[in-house]
Amino acid sequence: MTLGLLAGHSLSAQPPVTMPDAQVPPPGPALDLINKNCSGCHTTATIFSQRKSADDWAATVQLMVDRGAELKPDEQDAVIGYLTKNFSDSPAAATAPAATPAP
Ligand code: HEC
């Protein structure tokens, strides 16, 4: 039964839809925040073309908030974590959860 289904699927040869390199950011609440609050002064392409460390993203988002991006502190954290995860300059950090700096 299962074998028959699998065989049928493998014969239908559908092209894979996975992206080789994450050009399209994964959906989520943080992406909604970015689309809403970070696209007023420049397009989100300005953001998604960057690759930064957690510290650099934190500094960048803080700078944008200082400039006028309307993010509450918890939203800021969500955006920093999202950008660090998906647009990191280090492959190791890309799979790790948002780094919390040691006290
Ligand atoms: C009030 C206007 C404004 C808002 C809102 C804004 N930005 Fe910016 N952003 C700018 C300006 C002006 C520049 C270009 C000057 C520069 O490069 O520092 C810029 C440049 C950038 C860059 C490219 C330069 C760099 O430092 O890497 C990134 C990334 C960026 N913004 C991220 C964000 C994010 C993330 C948000 C939402 C939290 C955001 N911006 C919201 C004004 C804004």
Side-chain angles (χ1 to χ4, degrees), residues 34 37-42 46-47 50 52 57 60-61 63-65 67-71 79 83:
I34 292 168
N37 297 297
C38 305
S39 57
C41 306
H42 46 67
T46 305
I47 303 163
Q50 302 288 328
K52 294 176 190 285
W57 274 125
T60 300
V61 171
L63 179 66
M64 298 305 152
V65 168
R67 281 179 166 149
E70 290 182 24
L71 289 178
V79 167
L83 291 171

Side-chain angles (χ1 to χ4, degrees), residues 1-56:
M1 192 96 104
T2 317
L3 276 176
L5 282 172
L6 285 175
H9 270 286
S10 60
L11 283 176
S12 63
Q14 300 212 331
V17 290
T18 46
M19 300 286 171
D21 198 13
Q23 289 301 313
V24 177
L31 181 62
D32 294 345
L33 287 171
I34 292 168
N35 283 330
K36 191 160 156 266
N37 297 297
C38 305
S39 57
C41 306
H42 46 67
T43 68
T44 52
T46 305
I47 303 163
F48 300 146
S49 60
Q50 302 288 328
R51 297 294 179 272
K52 294 176 190 285
S53 68
D55 282 356
D56 285 352

